[in-house]
Amino acid sequence: FGILSFIELPSDPTVWMIGLMLGWPLLQNLFAAGGASGASGASGAAPPQAGSPSIQEGDLVKVEELEVHKEYNGLQGRVLGRVAADGGDVKHRVQLQIGSETKVLAIR
């Protein structure tokens, strides 16, 4: 096994649990930023916010600062497109996957 034969792996389950607790969120963020679709931009960069003018269809975004449906804050979703809103504003249609349920929100 080459180099692996010189590395002594810990046998204490506590060490493995701590490693998983610290490593799992890092791995999730790494894979979410790169995505299977090969999203453009720097790997590990935060997704654009829903109010950003640079948002394009297909972008991965993080939902934040919702006042009515606060339960969706912090979730990531994919931009499906834009719709006109009252007063000439633009809302982005964002698809969220919540467990086995798919939701589409219109967000400013």
Side-chain angles (χ1 to χ4, degrees):
F1 291 114
I3 290 179
L4 291 180
S5 63
F6 296 110
I7 298 174
E8 185 176 330
L9 298 176
S11 60
D12 183 10
T14 307
V15 173
W16 286 102
M17 290 304 295
I18 291 172
L20 282 172
M21 288 174 27
L22 294 174
W24 185 251
L26 297 173
L27 288 174
Q28 282 184 317
N29 287 337
L30 176 68
F31 290 125
S37 64
S40 62
S43 181
Q49 301 305 310
S52 171
S54 64
I55 292 178
Q56 301 295 321
E57 187 173 330
D59 283 352
L60 187 65
V61 295
K62 183 176 180 181
V63 177
E64 291 184 337
E65 300 181 22
L66 293 181
E67 294 177 8
V68 176
H69 293 284
K70 294 181 181 184
E71 66 271 19
Y72 301 126
N73 287 336
L75 298 178
Q76 286 190 353
R78 186 149 319 267
V79 176
L80 299 178
R82 298 182 201 195
V83 292
D86 298 336
D89 288 338
V90 174
K91 289 186 175 184
H92 293 87
R93 292 180 52 238
V94 178
Q95 180 180 19
L96 303 173
Q97 188 69 36
I98 306 166
S100 62
E101 186 178 1
T102 301
K103 289 254 188 202
V104 177
L105 307 178
I107 303 174
R108 287 183 207 265

